[in-house]
Amino acid sequence: MDQLLGAHVFVEGGVDSAISKADEFGFTAIQIFTRNNNRWVSKALSEKEISSFKEKRKSSQIKVIVSHDSYLINLCAQNPEILEKSRKAFIDELERCEQLEIPYLNFHPGAHGGQGEDEGIKMIAESLNLAHEQTKNFKVKSMLEATAGQGTAIGYTFEHLKKIIDLVEEKDRMCVCIDTAHIFAAGYNIKDPKTYDAVIKDFDSIVGLELLKCIHMNDSKKELGSKVDRHDHIGKGFIGLEGFTNIMNDKRLDGVAKILETPKGKEQLEDLENVKTLLGLIK
Ligand code: ZN
Ligand code: MN
Ligand code: MN
């Protein structure tokens, strides 16, 4: 498979279990959680777990690994206690990535909770600056994910992403992830080939395609501009096969990791189906 393509893979037991499963599925790009995504505190990774992860990865066909941070983390939380916990947990996430030699930590910018978008954007950048300062010389990059704009979520325009990056001091620690379901719900029409091209050009001129390292490949259960974040199987939602045909045949996106976050059972057999569908769209 030439494409950097795969899915979010579940960890069962040690983080290395995800590598085994991804390899079995033939994925070349994957995403994992390196800690329980619904808890504030997680047990440290053991030396054994880390070395097994690295060993397995070396002999696998996986080319890109992304870590997704915990859903609890909000880098612009209004509540000081939650903000403090979020910043701590984010640093822990970066440390885990560094230990595992994972190049990208994907995270949702945050929800401002009523304090306003400008204030939220400033706070997110401040959180990132603090985190980068405490993880000096780390190789892992903080990967900002575009959002659907549900509730008070920041990150539903390319301008939001750009504003955050502009306020981050160590710019080379930053990169970006587009989630197809999110940006479609945010109002970016990637389904129609005519508007699709304009969306990519827009992203390039505002953020820069060189910063795009990952695309979350999700169809959307909700309409264009709905601002509601609900992932669907490829071709089953409002983006449809048309939208994913645009992406799979876009040469500008060849080097970008494409990772599914579509609904699935424990065995993840649905991921195999969705990968097959995506590969079938290549002309
Ligand atoms: Zn996400
Ligand atoms: Mn996503
Ligand atoms: Mn989502």
Side-chain angles (χ1 to χ4, degrees):
M1 186 159 35
D2 281 344
Q3 291 272 342
L4 298 171
L5 186 62
H8 184 104
V9 180
F10 296 137
V11 165
E12 281 172 275
V15 281
D16 56 318
S17 65
I19 302 279
S20 311
K21 182 166 257 178
D23 216 23
E24 185 191 312
F25 284 176
F27 294 160
T28 48
I30 62 164
Q31 178 172 278
I32 61 168
F33 293 124
T34 69
R35 44 184 264 165
N36 187 312
N37 63 313
N38 279 315
R39 278 202 213 130
W40 282 114
V41 187
S42 272
K43 195 161 106 235
L45 296 165
S46 70
E47 279 307 321
K48 204 175 142 220
E49 199 176 350
I50 295 166
S51 61
S52 168
F53 182 89
K54 289 188 194 165
E55 271 314 305
K56 283 188 185 171
R57 178 190 189 168
K58 240 190 272 167
S59 55
S60 81
Q61 66 226 312
I62 300 163
K63 295 203 176 70
V64 179
I65 303 181
V66 172
S67 168
H68 195 302
D69 77 341
S70 154
Y71 293 142
L72 299 175
I73 294 177
N74 182 2
L75 296 181
C76 62
Q78 246 181 328
N79 177 326
E81 223 173 282
I82 305 283
L83 180 66
E84 184 54 33
K85 275 184 176 170
S86 294
R87 287 174 166 172
K88 254 202 180 144
F90 191 79
I91 291 168
D92 180 60
E93 296 267 5
L94 286 171
E95 282 167 349
R96 285 164 183 264
C97 288
E98 200 68 7
Q99 287 178 308
L100 297 169
E101 295 173 3
I102 292 176
Y104 308 118
L105 174 63
N106 181 84
F107 67 101
H108 300 187
H112 66 74
Q115 56 185 328
E117 289 180 352
D118 289 341
E119 200 46 49
I121 285 169
K122 265 192 254 164
M123 217 164 171
I124 293 161
E126 197 182 310
S127 296
L128 288 167
N129 284 332
L130 283 169
H132 294 161
E133 219 169 273
Q134 285 184 53
T135 58
K136 273 268 170 266
N137 302 316
F138 273 29
K139 290 197 182 79
V140 55
K141 289 188 198 290
S142 303
M143 184 187 266
L144 256 182
E145 180 174 354
T147 64
Q150 201 165 289
T152 63
I154 287 169
Y156 61 86
T157 66
F158 299 153
E159 285 83 357
H160 281 179
L161 306 176
K162 168 70 174 160
K163 278 188 193 166
I164 294 167
I165 295 168
D166 276 347
L167 293 170
V168 171
E169 276 154 35
E170 292 183 61
K171 302 229 178 342
D172 58 345
R173 295 283 302 264
M174 298 300 296
C175 63
V176 173
C177 168
I178 279 179
D179 182 309
T180 53
H182 294 176
I183 67 167
F184 186 77
Y188 292 101
N189 189 353
I190 48 174
K191 181 190 180 82
D192 183 331
K194 280 173 277 176
T195 50
Y196 168 79
D197 194 55
V199 170
I200 300 300
K201 283 191 174 131
D202 210 26
F203 179 89
D204 191 29
S205 70
I206 296 165
V207 178
L209 272 175
E210 67 284 357
L211 286 183
L212 183 67
K213 298 298 177 197
C214 180
I215 302 177
H216 285 160
M217 303 288 276
N218 306 312
D219 210 330
S220 176
K221 277 204 166 93
K222 299 288 171 179
E223 301 85 345
L224 177 70
S226 62
K227 295 227 172 157
V228 180
D229 176 9
R230 293 281 181 284
H231 303 188
D232 206 345
H233 295 286
I234 304 299
K236 299 285 191 279
F238 283 93
I239 300 175
L241 294 179
E242 301 96 306
F244 291 97
T245 300
N246 297 332
I247 295 173
M248 292 305 287
N249 292 285
D250 189 336
K251 290 270 167 274
R252 293 167 292 189
L253 308 179
D254 271 357
V256 180
K258 302 181 178 84
I259 297 174
L260 292 160
E261 289 177 321
T262 40
K264 61 188 137 203
K266 208 166 170 265
E267 301 295 321
Q268 298 201 224
L269 298 175
E270 298 86 344
D271 288 340
L272 284 178
E273 280 305 308
N274 283 311
V275 162
K276 216 162 77 188
T277 304
L278 287 172
L279 289 173
L281 299 176
I282 300 174
K283 289 173 186 156

